[in-house]
Amino acid sequence: MHSSSSQDHTELATERLVLRTWTAAEVLAVLDGETGERPAGWAGDFPSEGDTVIATLLGDHPDWLGPYGHRLIIERDGGLVVGSIGLFWPPAEGVLELGYGVVASRRGRGYATEATRALAGFALAAPGVHTVAAGVELPNPASLRVLEKAGFARDDAGAAEETEAVARFRLTRDHLGQ
């Protein structure tokens, strides 16, 4: 993984993906939906419902547009936006929550795992962050596998707080040897 800074954001690059912060114009394009002009470079099924929810929340949480916030998942070959991933900043007692989604047309390629691994590693290097956590609905076995493949462990400590429908996972600096 490599990262580079520019004026307003940090890009994270993996073998096949670039994770780049949203621009204000991209947020507006998602919110405009059918009525606005669709940017070139979006997968045909982007944005998903989850991306629309995040775009709505970005206006209320400007920190989520910073380096430790939400990012678009972009294929390096071709530059196509295929999903989004993000950290819910600021951390609570050293724990950051992570969420992700890849559009249906690009699922099954390992993109979510690759993006999750990269962003979690980046987050764990942030000052004051020792854990990245995520919740997954149990009826979503593909997402459970994403977190397992990305090195997350089932959060046994949080098991008592789990609802029947959501599994909690976490990755700590200890898991990464940091």
Side-chain angles (χ1 to χ4, degrees), residues 95-122:
V95 179
L96 271 177
E97 189 77 16
L98 179 135
Y100 53 85
V102 172
V103 295
S105 66
R106 292 299 198 269
R107 290 183 188 149
R109 300 173 188 215
Y111 287 172
T113 300
E114 191 172 324
T116 297
R117 219 180 260 137
L119 193 57
F122 177 74

Side-chain angles (χ1 to χ4, degrees), residues 5 11 17 24-25 27 43 45 64 68 70 76 99 108 123 130 140 146-147 168 172 174-175 177:
S5 292
E11 285 187 357
L17 304 171
V27 170
D45 48 353
W64 292 2
Y68 296 105
H70 286 263
R76 286 180 74 169
H130 59 73
N140 188 349
V146 163
L147 292 173
R168 299 291 306 159
T172 66
D174 294 340
H175 285 113

Side-chain angles (χ1 to χ4, degrees), residues 38-55:
R38 184 176 168 76
W42 284 6
D45 48 353
F46 181 86
S48 69
E49 182 180 338
D51 300 313
T52 302
V53 169
I54 292 300

Side-chain angles (χ1 to χ4, degrees), residues 9-33:
H9 64 273
T10 300
E11 285 187 357
L12 299 177
T14 67
E15 181 180 340
R16 300 176 299 155
L17 304 171
V18 172
L19 309 178
R20 179 182 52 72
T21 54
W22 292 65
T23 65
E26 289 163 335
V27 170
L28 288 174
V30 168
L31 295 177
D32 284 348

Side-chain angles (χ1 to χ4, degrees), residues 10 67-69 87-96 119-132 173 178:
T10 300
Y68 296 105
L87 300 165
F88 296 88
W89 192 261
E93 298 178 11
V95 179
L96 271 177
L119 193 57
F122 177 74
L124 288 171
V129 176
H130 59 73
T131 302
V132 177
R173 284 185 179 179
Q178 294 183 2

Side-chain angles (χ1 to χ4, degrees), residues 150-174:
F152 283 66
R154 188 75 174 258
D155 185 358
D156 295 330
E161 299 174 13
E162 278 185 19
T163 66
E164 292 180 23
V166 177
R168 299 291 306 159
F169 287 81
R170 60 181 40 226
L171 181 68
T172 66
R173 284 185 179 179
D174 294 340

